[in-house]
Amino acid sequence: MSYGDGMSSTRSARSEERRAEILRAALEVIAERGYRGASLAAVAERVGLTQQGLLHHFPTKEALLVAVLEERDQWDAVPNSQWRLDLLGSLVEYNAMRPGIVQTFSALLGESVTEEHPAREFFTRRYAGVRASMTEVLRAEYGERLPGGLTPERAAPLLVAVMDGLQFQWLLDPQAVDMPGAFRDFLDLLAGRASTGPS
């Protein structure tokens, strides 16, 4: 490797570190203020950059938002072939330990249903992929029919709705909503089992 190549790779590594710092800061600012209330200036200040310096890494606020969402999805990434229902339960438990991330995701999801929101396309595409993945998870577990008679295709949107709907309820009143426990109850319903939780 030439000296020039070494300098280039060092610069590239520094740029990636800075990019990761910006994404973490953006996540915090969005969690505190919502997407519409979050400014590039506030994110830049948090990482010790000028707004111009931030724009070097992310040319627009929309580009930063989509990068934040894609980064958040990477944290949960499991190859589709490896998802199982019991792993979904573990993911819900994991989410219960990181309310800031869940809050940001939920706030952006809620905002994204408005016309021309920059995250709308991301969430539309994401949900199509998640429904397809959950269909395969359910098919691997139950075959072509769940115990209640639904096909995996019809049950998948319900599974996704319960996961995300529980997050909203838990964020609003974490003392009253046991998110992992409620999700386990739902898995028992899907399986046609009586819940083993408290009556």
Side-chain angles (χ1 to χ4, degrees), residues 26-28 30-32 68 99-109:
L27 197 65
E28 291 169 4
I30 292 168
E32 292 163 10
V68 165
I101 304 293
V102 175
Q103 182 183 37
T104 305
F105 177 82
S106 299
L108 288 171
L109 173 57

Side-chain angles (χ1 to χ4, degrees), residues 71-121:
E71 179 79 2
R72 183 257 177 214
D73 265 7
Q74 285 304 307
W75 298 335
D76 294 345
V78 172
N80 284 348
S81 61
Q82 294 178 23
W83 273 120
R84 302 188 313 266
L85 278 180
D86 59 325
L87 282 182
L88 292 181
S90 298
L91 175 60
V92 173
E93 288 177 12
Y94 177 48
N95 281 340
M97 294 186 286
R98 48 182 197 159
I101 304 293
V102 175
Q103 182 183 37
T104 305
F105 177 82
S106 299
L108 288 171
L109 173 57
E111 288 182 359
S112 76
V113 300
T114 58
E115 289 300 322
E116 297 183 13
H117 190 280
R120 185 177 182 123
E121 183 184 339

